[in-house]
Structures are given as C-alpha cells and as structure tokens.
Amino acid sequence: MGKWTVPSALILLCLLCLISDQGRNLRANAEGDSQSPADPPKVEEKLGAVPHGSATDSDVVKRESESMKKTLRSSAEKFEFQAEVSRLMDILINSLYSNKDIFLRELISNASDALDKIRFLSLTDKEVLGDGDTAKLEIQMKLDKDKKILSIRDRGIGMTKEDLIKNLGTIAKSGTSAFVEKMQTSGDLNLIGQFGVGFYSVYLVADYVEVISKHNDDKQYVWESKADGAFAISEDTWNEPLGRGTEIRLHLREEAGEYLEESKLKDLVKRYSEFINFPINLWSTKEIDVEVPADEDDSTEEEDKPEEEDTEKGDDEESEDKPKTKTVKETTQEWELLNDVKAIWLRSPKDVTDEEYTKFYHSLAKDFGEEKPMSWSHFTAEGDVEFKAVLFVPPKAPHDLYESYYNNNKSNLKLYVRRVFISDEFDELLPKYLNFLKGLVDSDTLPLNVSREMLQQHSSLKTIKKKLIRKALDMIRKLYEEDPDESTDKDKKDIEESGDNEKKGQYARFWNEFGKSIKLGIIEDAANRNRLAKLLRFESSKSDGKLTSLDQYISRMKSGQKDIFYITGSDKEQLAKSPFLERLIKKGYEVIYFTDPVDEYLMQYLMDYEDRKFQNVSKEGVKIADSGVKELKEAFKDLTKWWKSALASWNVDDVKVSNRLADTPCVVVTNKYGWSGNMERIMHSQTLSDASKQGYMRGKRVLEVNPRHPIVKELRERVAKDPEDEGIKATAQLMYQTALVESGFMVSDPKDFASRIYGSVKTSLSISPDAAVEEEEEVEESETKEEEAASGATKGDDFEIEASEVKDEL
C-alpha cells in the first residue's frame, strides 16, 4: 500500500488543478460575454457549400437569428430613410397587390445590371474581375427553409458604403416620387422597375432585409432594414468574404413561404428572367440513384433463387465474381442552371416565336404588363458595318417621354459589342424623336477595349444610326399597312376575309401614344422628312372624326386644287366653326385640323408634300375660284380705303375684300410668314417669353370684309353719305376688335373693347350714352362699426344659447 500512496496523491492533485482551471475558464467566458458580444452567428453557411455539422432545432435557429439582428442593430451606424422612400415602403408593406412575384425579377434585373458594369470595366482593366470564383460573372440563389431566408448573390461591381447609403435609402431617385404618384392613381406595381426603385419590392415578401456588398474600392459592408423608417450600415466582419459583388438576404414573412420552394423560383425565373445574359443558378436539392454494396441478407436471397437455363447459369457464374450491389435513392445538392436560352438576337428571326419576342421585350423594357409590344423588327445588317438588332414599339408611351425632351440624352437601346453589354446611354444610336423605341444593338465591328467616350466618336456609329432609323420607320410603316382601318376598300376587304382583326385600329393606338414623336421627327430630321410625313395622321373636315393621312387627303382633293388646306387651333369643335372655313366647306374643299401646340412648329418645317404646298387658311394666300370678286373689289374700294384710315392707329396693314367668308362680316388674317392667332397665344404663354422681342414675328394684320354681308353693305352706304361720322367710325373699330377675337387673336386693350360692347348694348336698349351709374349712399364710418359690433354681439348671444342647449342635452 505504501508504494501506491505517493502516485495516487500526485494523480489526485493533478485532477484538482484541472478542475480549477476549467472553472476559471468558464468564469472568464461568462464575464467576457457580459461585456462584449461574441461574433454573431452566420445566417447561412458558405453559399454553394454542402451543409454539414450537427442538426439544430428550430428554436435555436430562431434565437441565433434574433441574436444576430440585435448585435447588428446595436453596433451599426443608423440612418433615416428619405420621406419619399418611406412613403414607397409603406405602400409596398401595406399593399394588397396580389402579384408579389415581381420582387424576384427586380432583384435579378439589378444583379444583371451590376454584372454588366463590372464586365464593361474589365474591358480596359482585366484585374477588376479578380481570380477564381470571383471572376465568374453569374447570379446565385439559395434557400434556407429552416431560417426562412432567400439569398440572391451576384459577382457584379458591388457597392461601397457611400453607394449603400445613396442608392438604398437617403437620396431618393427622381423616379421614387413619380412611382408613388403612379401607384396612388393606377395601383399597378408592375411598372416599378421602370422607375428605378425596383429594390424596394423586396418588402412585398420580407420583413427584414440584409444587403451584403463588397466593392473593389472599399471594405465589405452590411446594409439592413426592417422597413421601420430607418436602416443601418456596419462593416461586415462575420459573414463570408464575398470577394466582390452583392448578396441580398430576404427574411421572408410567414405568408411568403411559397418562395422557399425551388419549383416556385424556377417558374419565376423562366417567366420573367429567361433572357438575362448571365447564368442564373439555384442551389437545388435532387434525388439520384446510387449503387451501394448489397446487404448480406440481399446476397443470401440472390443465392436462394433457383438456377435457370444453362446459358443463364454461365452468366451467373461470371457475375458471382463481381461484388453484390443495389440501387438506392440519395439526396444531393448542386447548382442548377435556370436560364439556358440562347440570346434571342443571335437566333434567326424565323426560329423565334411571337411569344418569345414578347417575353424578351418584357425582360428588356422591364415592362411586365399584360400587353405585348405593338410591333418589332429583328434584322442583321451586313456590309462595312455588321450588327444584329431587335427593335420594339412599346404598347404605351413612358410617363416622362416628353418631359425634358431636349435635356435627356438617354436612349432606350442597349449597345452590345460582341455580346458584351457596353451601355444604354448612347444617344448616337437613335435620334431623340425615336427614343420611345426599345431594343438592343450588337455590333461585331465596333472596338471592344476602348473607353465609352472614344466609342461614341467612332465613325461606325453614324452608319449604324442611319440603318436603325430606316428599319425603325419601316417597322412603323408596317403598322399602318397591316391595319384594316388604314387600308383602301379593296385591301380592307381582303384583310377582313383573312380574319386578321387583331391589327384593326393598331395604327390609331400608335398615333395616340407616339404621334408627337413623329411630328418632332419632321421638325428635326430633314433627311427623312418626307418618309415621316407619310406617317402623319390628323382629323379633317371630311374624316368623320377618324384619323386620316396626307395620301388619303390628296386622293380626295378637288380637281384643280393645288394647295393642301389646314387650320391650327386648340379644339377641333371650335375650328370646325371658324369663319376661315365657311366658304371652303361650302365649296367642297377639305381642311385639315391641327390641334396640338407642336403643330404650329411642325408646319413651319413641312412646307410641301408630293409637290403640293400647304396653305394655312387663317393667313393670306387662300385661292378660291370666285367669278365676281373683281367687280366686288372695285365696288367696295372706297369703303376699304376709309376703313383702313379709321384703323390707322390699330396696327392694321390693309383692309381687303375677302373671298373666303360666307356668313361672317369680317375676319383678321396675317401675312404668310407671320404668326397666326393660335401661335401668338402659344408664344405669349411661354414662361420665359419676352413680349418686346416678339413684335416682329406677329406679322402684318389684314382685315378682310365680306362684301355680301348686310352689315358691311350698310356700312358702305353710311360711309358714302357721311365719312366723318364718329359713330360709324366707332362701329368700324368695334367690328375690327370683334373680328380679332373671333379670328383667335388677343385684344390689346380688353377694357376699351368691353366699353365699346357695353356702349352697343346701351344703344340696343335705347339707353342714353350719357346715362350715369347710380351713386352709392355715403355712410358714416362710426355707424358702420356700431352695426358690425351689434351684429357680432347677436352672433355671440346665439352661440351662447346653442352652447347651453348642447350642455343641457349632455
């Protein structure tokens, strides 16, 4: 016993020391936990890795997730959302909009844009892509059903801390307010991507969102928000290093559980993002058949089976040498590619279906409404400059198409060079008036490894632009050629017999949406002015409320008619009653009604069409056959001369006998190159107009009188008797002012005009011109104050009575 005493004592002493050390460690850990938080647990393992380790129950997962959120909240830098962003998020969070699927297409679209940007930068600096997996330009999606997290990751350009603050919170883009207004009027969330605020659609399905991003020029940061009016940003020291790019983690709401199903995500990608130019991979679970060694029981069963024919027996003997196996189902996880469709513009047009074109348009334009594009053109240009292109006419005009028209250089065409996206801001691809077209151009001729500025100056762009304009106008022309409403009676009958009524009225729809763009094209594009004029549509005195074309107008012209007659104004109904049209309509001439303000500018550039001149019927130069006009001019020569002298101080250039009036006594016209009354009003309404500099453009005004009208005939007789009669002179001046108003001009002195009208009313009522207005009785100021005080006291008493009655009732 003695020899074991010392070793036993030593062993006992060691055990006591070990227990003491463990106690001190546990105490130190507890104290450390109370003073500073431990590294927060990760929401998900490395993206793409196979999960491993011990299983964790749902309660622990929930506690870990909440712990991570609290740690982030306590250590992060907090910011307030801008008011417009908060309004937008409130709308989305409280939205009853049924189609919440749009969030995924918006996130994938944003990821694609980020990948496009880094690929473009890599053209001139290959090092920006990095090495290994970081250099792979792809989009990855992963599900964590236990934690209810959907992760979407791209290896795009990433965001710096400043980008996260600017793009996702404090500085609202111009589209934010516009989208909020659109939502409040139409309630259509489908348009969210067109306003540049698609990211916020995540709050349709998530109540907590993390954005982890790494830019080459900054550290890795985490942006997070619970959509409670604020967001937080902190340096990321606990998540897996991204290398470069962005990962968005959506903590889904309870009612959004369907987005944790792989089949749902696959369906959404196929529906909305099939034509994204980068691989979209989903970390998917699959069951596969695997050969495994057979159990001993299975081997015994095989041996107990009766032997068959000799030939089979020989085979069995050979197989006995091989190990016994069996097939079992095994669950594996791997990346699955969801979009393997070839770029649509690289395929032959005859191999692409209408449904594929429609899907591609929706993806390209970020317009996921029910309507398909009005038309499209898919072509390949060959020669000195080779490129492929797809152009679309949208079903509706963008909300801001004509806002800041001359200040907005952005085109809606995407430029690719050898399948590499370069930019969608090349204003040299299409002229401004065709900026409503959507599409893309992929050139093999343009250089790839040059800056955007150098590319804009490349000579090939002019050739590409010229061909694109021609193809675009051909595509629009095809719209009216296929429209039964635009066809002749024979062609219309053939189309109706073919049963193709889907295209009926399609050009009228196009014109109502984009007609102003065609007019702007006539103003801006002299080289294609005649081709654009064929696309022009308008109503006329013979079109029965329908749109008609210049070719149709010419086909209805009277024999001997040389000019195309038109009139400008603000309202078709008013134009139809204009005195300028009286004799033209009576004689059977057709007159075009131009009611858009831009039409005044349009007709300054469109001087003729098919060798026929345009004639504004409110200006000088209207030629209508009239056999007795010479005799009438001679008969009224004295009157017109006297009338001109009576208007000497009224800026009237001349008084003439008119050949355009039927029922109106007189009108005021301008010379051929002066402003019409409508143009004068438009220019006066300009915010920065200078009236002092507009005088020379007003043109010389001419009073035309109707020699057949009884007022003019009576006036001639009165003037012949007494040309110095002041009453007759005042009547002539009043007639001129009235003609100014009826002809669309503004009266320079409205007070004088009104006084003359009231004077005429007095005469018609047999009231003396000297009759004075009855004077108001003078009332002392003190009496007035006493009456007001008495009235106030009465109201006060009434109020007290009513208050007491209410009190009694209570």
Side-chain angles (χ1 to χ4, degrees):
M1 291 293 293
K3 66 179 181 179
W4 294 105
T5 302
V6 174
S8 300
L10 290 172
I11 292 171
L12 182 61
L13 182 62
C14 290
L15 288 173
L16 289 172
C17 292
L18 181 62
I19 292 171
S20 176
D21 289 341
Q22 288 180 346
R24 282 195 299 271
N25 289 338
L26 289 171
R27 190 164 53 253
N29 287 338
E31 292 172 357
D33 288 341
S34 64
Q35 293 174 1
S36 61
D39 288 343
K42 298 179 182 179
V43 175
E44 81 181 283
E45 296 295 327
K46 180 178 179 181
L47 199 63
V50 179
H52 60 276
S54 60
T56 312
D57 61 49
S58 59
D59 292 336
V60 174
V61 170
K62 185 175 181 181
R63 285 197 300 271
E64 288 180 350
S65 178
E66 292 299 324
S67 172
M68 181 201 69
K69 294 179 187 178
K70 292 177 182 177
T71 304
L72 286 173
R73 286 292 186 187
S74 61
S75 61
E77 185 179 357
K78 296 180 178 60
F79 301 86
E80 294 292 328
F81 281 115
Q82 196 190 38
E84 286 83 355
V85 177
S86 295
R87 284 177 61 204
L88 173 60
M89 294 172 74
D90 287 341
I91 290 175
L92 294 174
I93 292 169
N94 302 313
S95 173
L96 298 177
Y97 190 61
S98 59
N99 184 17
K100 302 182 186 298
D101 300 345
I102 61 171
F103 83 93
L104 187 63
R105 74 155 194 248
E106 296 302 327
L107 294 184
I108 291 177
S109 177
N110 291 344
S112 176
D113 291 343
L115 290 165
D116 275 327
K117 290 176 181 178
I118 195 64
R119 183 163 68 173
F120 178 76
L121 292 177
S122 70
L123 298 179
T124 52
D125 183 7
K126 294 188 179 297
E127 294 184 0
V128 298
L129 287 179
D131 302 320
D133 289 343
T134 307
K136 295 180 181 178
L137 301 181
E138 60 184 353
I139 300 169
Q140 297 177 334
M141 294 190 297
K142 193 175 181 184
L143 298 170
D144 189 329
K145 294 186 178 181
D146 293 333
K147 301 175 185 177
K148 296 181 180 178
I149 295 175
L150 168 61
S151 299
I152 300 169
R153 174 175 174 178
D154 67 74
R155 292 191 169 94
I157 193 168
M159 288 180 280
T160 63
K161 180 181 179 182
E162 183 181 351
D163 292 336
L164 288 169
I165 297 171
K166 176 181 177 182
N167 296 336
L168 302 183
T170 58
I171 301 178
K173 298 180 180 178
S174 60
T176 307
S177 299
F179 176 72
V180 170
E181 292 174 5
K182 188 77 174 178
M183 267 294 299
Q184 291 173 340
T185 54
S186 67
D188 188 5
L189 276 174
N190 252 321
L191 301 176
I192 190 169
Q194 298 182 26
F195 292 82
V197 289
F199 166 77
Y200 301 108
S201 62
V202 295
Y203 290 103
L204 288 168
V205 297
D207 52 12
Y208 175 70
V209 178
E210 296 174 275
V211 179
I212 307 162
S213 195
K214 172 67 173 71
H215 190 280
N216 285 339
D217 298 335
D218 206 346
K219 300 176 182 178
Q220 183 166 311
Y221 286 92
V222 177
W223 178 101
E224 58 182 340
S225 176
K226 294 182 179 179
D228 54 359
F231 63 93
I233 294 180
S234 53
E235 184 179 343
D236 188 4
T237 57
W238 56 90
N239 286 305
E240 169 208 354
L242 297 180
R244 187 198 63 254
T246 301
E247 181 180 340
I248 300 176
R249 295 176 183 172
L250 308 183
H251 297 251
L252 299 177
R253 300 179 184 180
E254 289 293 334
E255 63 271 20
E258 61 179 316
Y259 300 106
L260 292 171
E261 300 298 329
E262 293 179 10
S263 58
K264 178 68 173 179
L265 297 184
K266 291 177 183 178
D267 177 63
L268 293 181
V269 170
K270 184 169 182 61
R271 189 189 312 171
Y272 293 122
S273 307
E274 187 176 11
F275 297 101
I276 293 294
N277 293 321
F278 298 95
I280 303 174
N281 295 302
L282 174 65
W283 187 245
S284 60
T285 302
K286 292 184 178 180
E287 285 191 348
I288 60 174
D289 293 334
V290 180
E291 295 287 334
V292 298
D295 297 334
E296 291 183 2
D297 295 341
D298 296 335
S299 301
T300 304
E301 290 177 4
E302 290 290 335
E303 292 175 358
D304 293 342
K305 288 183 180 179
E307 296 181 359
E308 297 183 3
E309 298 180 358
D310 294 340
T311 55
E312 294 180 359
K313 185 176 181 179
D315 295 337
D316 291 339
E317 290 175 355
E318 294 178 1
S319 64
E320 286 177 359
D321 298 334
K322 300 179 181 179
K324 300 292 183 180
T325 62
K326 65 177 181 178
T327 303
V328 296
K329 297 288 185 181
E330 184 174 305
T331 301
T332 63
Q333 289 183 306
E334 61 182 12
W335 290 114
E336 181 181 351
L337 181 64
L338 303 184
N339 60 329
D340 55 356
V341 180
K342 184 180 179 182
I344 203 168
W345 64 91
L346 301 179
R347 297 159 60 186
S348 172
K350 63 182 179 182
D351 296 333
V352 186
T353 64
D354 288 357
E355 183 181 359
E356 287 179 309
Y357 278 123
T358 301
K359 279 187 176 181
F360 181 63
Y361 165 77
H362 287 156
S363 174
L364 183 75
K366 299 182 180 180
D367 175 8
F368 293 89
E370 296 296 326
E371 295 180 283
K372 65 180 184 179
M374 291 190 192
S375 182
W376 56 80
S377 178
H378 181 186
F379 61 93
T380 300
E382 299 178 348
D384 296 337
V385 178
E386 296 184 357
F387 66 91
K388 296 177 175 64
V390 184
L391 302 177
F392 293 94
V393 177
K396 290 184 179 179
H399 69 285
D400 57 349
L401 179 58
Y402 302 112
E403 295 177 11
S404 303
Y405 175 79
Y406 288 104
N407 296 326
N408 185 9
N409 293 328
K410 186 176 179 180
S411 170
N412 285 313
L413 288 191
K414 294 180 179 288
L415 176 63
Y416 288 76
V417 176
R418 300 169 206 165
R419 268 63 68 200
V420 177
F421 174 72
I422 303 299
S423 176
D424 58 359
E425 297 180 357
F426 272 82
D427 57 333
E428 293 300 321
L429 285 176
L430 279 178
K432 288 183 184 295
Y433 69 88
L434 289 177
N435 272 357
F436 64 89
L437 297 178
K438 309 280 187 181
L440 63 81
V441 178
D442 189 350
S443 172
D444 291 331
T445 307
L446 293 171
L448 193 57
N449 56 346
V450 297
S451 67
R452 184 177 302 173
E453 290 74 18
M454 292 178 64
L455 198 58
Q456 283 181 315
Q457 304 300 323
H458 200 276
S459 58
S460 297
L461 280 180
K462 293 182 179 179
T463 305
I464 293 175
K465 180 178 181 179
K466 187 176 180 180
K467 292 184 178 180
L468 286 174
I469 293 173
R470 188 175 71 249
K471 286 291 186 179
L473 297 184
D474 288 344
M475 174 176 61
I476 297 171
R477 176 175 52 81
K478 189 178 177 183
L479 276 174
Y480 76 74
E481 288 179 345
E482 295 177 348
D483 188 347
D485 291 345
E486 294 283 329
S487 307
T488 60
D489 293 338
K490 182 180 181 300
D491 294 336
K492 187 183 295 186
K493 186 177 180 181
D494 294 339
I495 295 174
E496 288 175 353
E497 290 177 355
S498 68
D500 188 10
N501 292 324
E502 183 182 347
K503 299 184 182 298
K504 185 178 176 64
Q506 66 178 2
Y507 194 75
R509 292 194 298 273
F510 166 82
W511 184 258
N512 291 333
E513 295 290 337
F514 306 107
K516 187 172 290 187
S517 293
I518 301 301
K519 295 175 182 179
L520 290 169
I522 293 174
I523 294 171
E524 298 170 5
D525 192 353
N528 292 290
R529 187 162 290 154
N530 197 57
R531 298 181 71 189
L532 287 163
K534 287 185 178 294
L535 305 176
L536 201 60
R537 294 296 181 272
F538 44 80
E539 292 185 51
S540 74
S541 58
K542 289 187 177 181
S543 66
D544 297 325
K546 298 179 180 179
L547 294 175
T548 187
S549 66
L550 288 173
D551 289 329
Q552 291 170 334
Y553 178 96
I554 291 174
S555 68
R556 296 191 292 262
M557 285 176 64
K558 293 184 65 174
S559 70
Q561 180 182 345
K562 296 180 180 180
D563 296 335
I564 299 174
F565 296 122
Y566 73 93
I567 186 171
T568 59
S570 57
D571 183 79
K572 185 191 74 172
E573 284 69 25
Q574 291 181 5
L575 291 179
K577 301 173 184 176
S578 173
F580 297 111
L581 274 59
E582 291 175 351
R583 201 145 182 273
L584 288 166
I585 300 299
K586 197 172 184 178
K587 290 281 187 178
Y589 291 98
E590 183 174 6
V591 181
I592 296 170
Y593 299 145
F594 283 131
T595 56
D596 194 336
V598 76
D599 292 335
E600 285 283 359
Y601 302 93
L602 165 71
M603 299 314 295
Q604 294 177 21
Y605 292 87
L606 191 60
M607 308 300 294
D608 58 77
Y609 179 78
E610 300 293 341
D611 298 326
R612 290 173 173 83
K613 300 288 184 182
F614 284 93
Q615 174 62 53
N616 188 335
V617 299
S618 67
K619 294 184 178 182
E620 285 186 311
V622 176
K623 298 174 182 177
I624 305 174
D626 191 339
S627 57
V629 69
K630 290 184 179 180
E631 292 78 5
L632 288 172
K633 285 183 179 180
E634 186 64 29
F636 283 80
K637 184 177 180 180
D638 293 337
L639 175 63
T640 56
K641 186 178 179 180
W642 172 87
W643 210 330
K644 181 179 178 180
S645 64
L647 300 175
S649 61
W650 294 70
N651 193 29
V652 176
D653 185 61
D654 201 0
V655 179
K656 297 180 179 179
V657 171
S658 177
N659 65 342
R660 73 180 86 203
L661 297 176
D663 304 318
T664 304
C666 56
V667 291
V668 176
V669 300
T670 60
N671 62 2
K672 191 154 188 171
Y673 301 103
W675 285 346
S676 65
N678 185 54
M679 185 63 172
E680 195 172 303
R681 287 199 309 274
I682 292 172
M683 294 307 297
H684 269 285
S685 65
Q686 299 296 317
T687 305
L688 303 177
S689 63
D690 187 351
S692 63
K693 297 179 181 179
Q694 295 176 359
Y696 71 96
M697 282 303 297
R698 288 196 182 101
K700 297 178 179 179
R701 293 175 180 173
V702 176
L703 178 66
E704 290 192 0
V705 299
N706 182 0
R708 298 180 178 87
H709 198 279
I711 293 178
V712 177
K713 292 168 71 175
E714 179 64 24
L715 196 62
R716 184 185 66 165
E717 294 179 3
R718 297 281 186 96
V719 169
K721 292 179 181 177
D722 185 4
E724 300 299 326
D725 188 341
E726 290 298 325
I728 299 299
K729 185 180 290 187
T731 300
Q733 291 171 348
L734 177 59
M735 288 182 65
Y736 171 70
Q737 287 180 307
T738 306
L740 272 177
V741 175
E742 191 175 19
S743 303
F745 293 95
M746 294 181 292
V747 178
S748 58
D749 190 350
K751 178 65 176 176
D752 178 66
F753 176 55
S755 298
R756 292 175 184 272
I757 292 292
Y758 294 141
S760 179
V761 171
K762 283 182 179 180
T763 303
S764 66
L765 297 175
S766 301
I767 299 174
S768 172
D770 300 326
V773 178
E774 184 179 347
E775 293 291 339
E776 182 182 0
E777 294 183 6
E778 292 292 336
V779 180
E780 293 293 335
E781 186 176 352
S782 57
E783 294 179 6
T784 305
K785 290 183 177 180
E786 289 175 2
E787 290 177 2
E788 289 177 354
S791 176
T794 304
K795 289 181 180 178
D797 294 340
D798 293 341
F799 177 76
E800 289 177 2
I801 293 170
E802 291 177 2
S804 63
E805 290 175 354
V806 171
K807 186 176 181 181
D808 293 341
E809 289 179 4
L810 292 173

